[in-house]
């Protein structure tokens, strides 16, 4: 008896698989991993649940204890924004809380704490911050959140395979952009949206930051990385809302990923995580770099 094939390497192939099988992106990714890793379903779900627990733990730690980075450059902004979110904000309490949660994770990372690199350490706040805060607000079960992480994993895998999730290869568009695309798709599926709507959300999230450079001050994953996770969180929430409302990306997901890959290749090396361009070369950034060198 021939085994069912659940492999896919493009968004179009994923949509065809979901359509012919009548399954979600999360289910397609879970079945793919079962076949490829030869690991049983329950073990994969248990492993993803561990990731969820780690994500939740990093949010809690980042919001309850000031996370000063090793350099002292960053820390405490997540707590500050969370306190402010309870007032009269422009983006609303829910969005501000999601952003605060996202920043909390990256602050924990900068303080050498435990996080889940989804898709990378530098962009690790967007997915947990938006998914977990939305889950708390909407009463989503851990089972739903775990499946949301499988949705995000599918989108991240497609971007990594057909473009990049590395700032050194494609700029910050490849890191916080990919993170926002993953989170947006997960939010859509957890909200009952179709696989097509999920990929529309991912496409819009990527397009929103097309060309975003990676210019870390002093070469550290702190500034502007933490605040770009904040941007990524809002991007994910807005892209999910647009897709769920019925708005579509004119450019299909696979073509958006292709475009992002080409933009990353065209980007000057100074704008790809080398700290030789962008805000990393401003007078203040140079002073910070020189000060840190003297402290070593």
């Amino acid at each position: 008896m021939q085994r069912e094939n659940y492999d896919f390497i493009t968004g179009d192939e994923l949509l065809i698989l979901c359509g012919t099988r009548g399954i979600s992106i999360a289910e397609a990714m879970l079945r793919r991993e079962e076949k490829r890793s030869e690991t049983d379903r329950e073990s994969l779900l248990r492993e993803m649940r561990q990731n969820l627990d780690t994500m939740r733990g990093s949010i809690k730690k980042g919001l309850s204890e000031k996370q000063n980075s090793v350099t002292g450059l960053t820390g405490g902004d997540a707590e500050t924004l969370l306190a402010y979110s309870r007032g009269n904000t422009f983006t609303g309490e829910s969005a501000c809380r999601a952003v605060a949660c996202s920043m909390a994770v990256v602050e924990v990372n900068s303080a050498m704490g435990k996080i889940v690199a989804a898709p990378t350490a530098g962009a690790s706040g967007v997915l947990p911050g938006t998914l977990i805060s939305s889950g708390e607000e909407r009463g989503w079960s851990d089972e739903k959140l775990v499946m949301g992480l499988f949705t995000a994993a599918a989108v991240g895998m497609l971007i990594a395979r057909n473009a990049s999730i590395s700032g050194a290869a494609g700029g910050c568009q490849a890191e916080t952009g990919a993170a926002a695309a993953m989170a947006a798709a997960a939010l859509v599926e957890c909200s009952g949206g179709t696989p097509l709507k999920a990929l529309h959300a991912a496409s819009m999230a990527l397009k929103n930051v097309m060309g975003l450079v990676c210019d870390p001050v002093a070469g550290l994953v702190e500034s502007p990385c933490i605040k770009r996770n904040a941007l990524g969180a809002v991007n994910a929430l807005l892209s999910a809302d647009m897709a769920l409302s019925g708005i579509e990306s004119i450019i299909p997901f696979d073509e958006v990923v292709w475009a992002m890959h080409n933009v990353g290749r065209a980007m000057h090396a100074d704008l790809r995580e080398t700290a030789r361009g962008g805000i990393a070369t401003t007078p203040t950034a140079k002073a910070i770099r020189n000060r840190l060198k003297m402290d070593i």
Side-chain angles (χ1 to χ4, degrees), residues 58-69 74-87 89 96-108 111 226-227 230:
S58 61
I59 290 173
K60 182 178 180 180
K61 184 175 184 178
L63 292 178
S64 61
E65 308 168 21
K66 185 176 180 181
Q67 300 297 304
N68 290 318
S69 66
T74 56
D77 286 345
E79 288 181 284
T80 298
L81 185 61
L82 181 65
Y84 169 78
S85 72
R86 302 185 183 101
T89 70
C96 266
R97 179 172 177 78
V99 170
C101 290
S102 299
M103 294 176 71
V105 174
V106 199
E107 286 185 347
V108 168
I226 293 173
K227 294 179 180 69

Side-chain angles (χ1 to χ4, degrees), residues 30 34 39-50 143 146 150:
L30 182 53
E34 282 186 88
T39 303
D40 65 275
R41 183 184 183 92
E42 289 308 312
S43 294
L44 291 169
L45 289 169
R46 184 165 55 250
E47 184 176 351
M48 193 63 89
R49 173 60 189 268
Q50 291 173 351
E143 288 72 23
V146 163
F150 275 104

Side-chain angles (χ1 to χ4, degrees), residues 262-296:
N262 287 340
V263 169
R265 291 182 62 186
M267 197 177 286
H268 195 283
D270 287 356
L271 302 175
R272 288 188 274 123
E273 209 173 347
T274 57
R276 298 197 303 257
I279 67 165
T281 58
T282 61
T284 298
K286 288 180 178 179
I288 291 172
R289 181 191 62 197
N290 292 334
R291 175 173 61 79
L292 292 175
K293 282 184 177 179
M294 293 177 62
D295 291 342
I296 295 176

Side-chain angles (χ1 to χ4, degrees), residues 221-274:
V221 186
E222 294 185 43
S223 176
C225 313
I226 293 173
K227 294 179 180 69
R228 284 192 181 152
N229 275 259
L231 169 67
V234 175
N235 184 13
L237 294 170
L238 179 58
S239 296
D241 272 338
M242 286 194 291
L244 288 167
S245 77
I247 295 173
E248 298 183 351
S249 173
I250 295 174
I251 310 301
F253 175 79
D254 289 330
E255 294 182 32
V256 173
V257 172
W258 172 79
M260 189 265 277
H261 172 65
N262 287 340
V263 169
R265 291 182 62 186
M267 197 177 286
H268 195 283
D270 287 356
L271 302 175
R272 288 188 274 123
E273 209 173 347
T274 57

Side-chain angles (χ1 to χ4, degrees), residues 83-139:
Y84 169 78
S85 72
R86 302 185 183 101
N88 185 24
T89 70
F90 287 106
T91 52
E93 184 174 350
S94 295
C96 266
R97 179 172 177 78
V99 170
C101 290
S102 299
M103 294 176 71
V105 174
V106 199
E107 286 185 347
V108 168
N109 176 63
S110 295
M112 306 303 290
K114 185 177 181 181
I115 54 95
V116 177
T120 63
S124 58
V126 179
L127 176 59
T130 55
L131 187 63
I132 292 174
S133 65
S134 296
E136 290 176 351
E137 185 174 285
R138 300 183 178 214

